[in-house]
Amino acid sequence: MLEQTLAIIKPDAVRKKFSGAILARYEKEGFRIRAIKMRALSKGEAEGFYAVHRERPFFASLVAFMVSGPVVLVVLEREDAILGHRQLMGATDPSKAVKETLRALYGESIEFNAVHGSDSAETARFEIPYFFSTVELVG
């Protein structure tokens, strides 16, 4: 089934100049880039985006990390995009991620793990319009 997912190249990967390699990998893996932009998130935006984690002990450090530098926001599309992107990202902990996954290649720790991706269709339906309007999605 053709579907869309949100991908975020996080501040650590942007800072290390991995954005181009990650975007190239998305295209190599058959994802179509439907929308893309680079921007700095405000504290309020990061808190709203990660509100589901508000009660978790890592919430404050996650928000601080996500506002520490620019991110690249991307809408990806392909058959089974959500599962495909989750597999391409690899485990949250880069040291446990399968070799050649994005987190194994570009992440350095559980917190600084290079990329984010929607974990379900329901999450994608919240995440994509959080950052992109309908007119920004290229047909």
Side-chain angles (χ1 to χ4, degrees):
M1 177 175 97
L2 192 63
E3 62 186 8
Q4 294 179 350
T5 188
L6 181 77
I8 302 176
I9 302 174
K10 294 181 178 182
D12 57 322
V14 172
R15 217 175 349 268
K16 293 177 180 176
K17 299 183 169 93
F18 294 146
S19 300
I22 292 169
L23 291 168
R25 182 73 182 277
Y26 288 152
E27 291 187 321
K28 181 181 177 198
E29 297 293 330
F31 290 97
R32 181 172 172 218
I33 295 173
R34 291 286 311 272
I36 185 170
K37 59 185 161 185
M38 175 185 265
R39 54 181 296 236
L41 301 182
S42 71
K43 184 178 181 200
E45 286 174 319
E47 287 173 341
F49 185 75
Y50 287 109
V52 67
H53 299 302
R54 188 172 301 281
E55 303 305 318
R56 308 285 292 271
F58 59 82
F59 179 74
S61 65
L62 174 60
V63 168
F65 166 57
M66 292 302 290
V67 302
S68 69
V71 298
V72 178
L73 304 158
V74 187
V75 177
L76 300 173
E77 181 178 82
R78 77 167 208 196
E79 295 289 323
D80 298 317
I82 295 166
L83 177 60
H85 186 237
R86 301 294 299 172
Q87 291 172 336
L88 178 59
M89 285 192 308
T92 304
D93 182 346
S95 70
K96 296 178 179 162
V98 173
K99 185 179 176 185
E100 298 304 312
T101 60
L102 297 176
R103 288 177 171 157
L105 291 169
Y106 306 114
E108 63 181 66
S109 68
I110 290 175
E111 188 170 22
F112 304 128
N113 61 13
V115 290
H116 163 90
S118 305
D119 61 7
S120 68
E122 180 182 359
T123 304
R125 283 191 295 275
F126 164 77
E127 291 182 344
I128 292 170
Y130 193 87
F131 292 115
F132 293 95
S133 69
T134 306
V135 297
E136 291 178 293
L137 300 176
V138 179

